[in-house]
Amino acid sequence: MHMAPSSSGVIPGNGVPVVRVVKRRNTANKKERRRTQSINSAYTSLRDRIPNVPNDTKLSKIKTLRLAISYIAHLLAVVNGNQDPSCDFRAELVPSSRKINAERRAQKTLMQIQFNTAKWAH
């Protein structure tokens, strides 16, 4: 429930001055921005350590984590002798099923437009 400050600059019901509430909110916002920047920096650092990913490739956070897990599994296989060390890690950058489905719908729509255009041309 949002309470409007009284004319005395105090939020009714709890006696906390408005200035203190605003400062507290600003402090919390700064801490959240720092936390978010720290997390984003960690993801960037992790992306930079996954080999064979083109620099211009945008990776989501979940894709970054999945590739990191795959790379770690590859390294474990090499260490355990189950993988030839000279065999490079290949990052599988396949489009998501959602993206594939969207491309299929777009292709289907394009084909329908072309069919309708050809039909009207005759």
Side-chain angles (χ1 to χ4, degrees):
M1 176 169 83
H2 178 71
M3 302 288 288
S6 68
S7 60
S8 66
V10 173
I11 296 176
N14 65 6
V16 178
V18 174
V19 173
R20 190 177 302 161
V21 171
V22 171
K23 283 183 180 179
R24 207 179 291 154
R25 185 73 253 149
N26 286 339
T27 301
N29 289 343
K30 284 180 187 176
K31 286 173 81 173
E32 177 62 16
R33 271 192 300 279
R34 271 189 252 123
R35 186 190 72 79
T36 301
Q37 288 169 347
S38 175
I39 290 171
N40 289 339
S41 175
Y43 272 103
T44 299
S45 179
L46 183 58
R47 279 185 199 106
D48 292 343
R49 282 161 177 73
I50 301 171
N52 300 322
V53 176
N55 289 335
D56 61 345
T57 302
K58 287 279 199 178
L59 295 177
S60 67
K61 290 176 180 175
I62 189 70
K63 187 68 174 175
T64 300
L65 291 174
R66 287 181 176 148
L67 283 173
I69 290 168
S70 179
Y71 183 50
I72 291 167
H74 167 78
L75 293 175
L76 283 171
V78 169
V79 168
N80 291 332
N82 301 330
Q83 177 83 38
D84 181 6
S86 64
C87 188
D88 284 339
F89 172 76
R90 292 280 170 230
E92 294 195 24
L93 301 170
V94 295
S96 68
S97 60
R98 184 183 304 170
K99 188 173 184 178
I100 291 169
N101 289 336
E103 289 171 357
R104 285 180 184 157
R105 284 192 304 273
Q107 184 67 29
K108 185 177 178 181
T109 302
L110 179 61
M111 289 172 63
Q112 288 173 339
I113 291 170
Q114 289 171 342
F115 174 77
N116 290 337
T117 305
K119 190 167 102 175
W120 289 106
H122 293 330

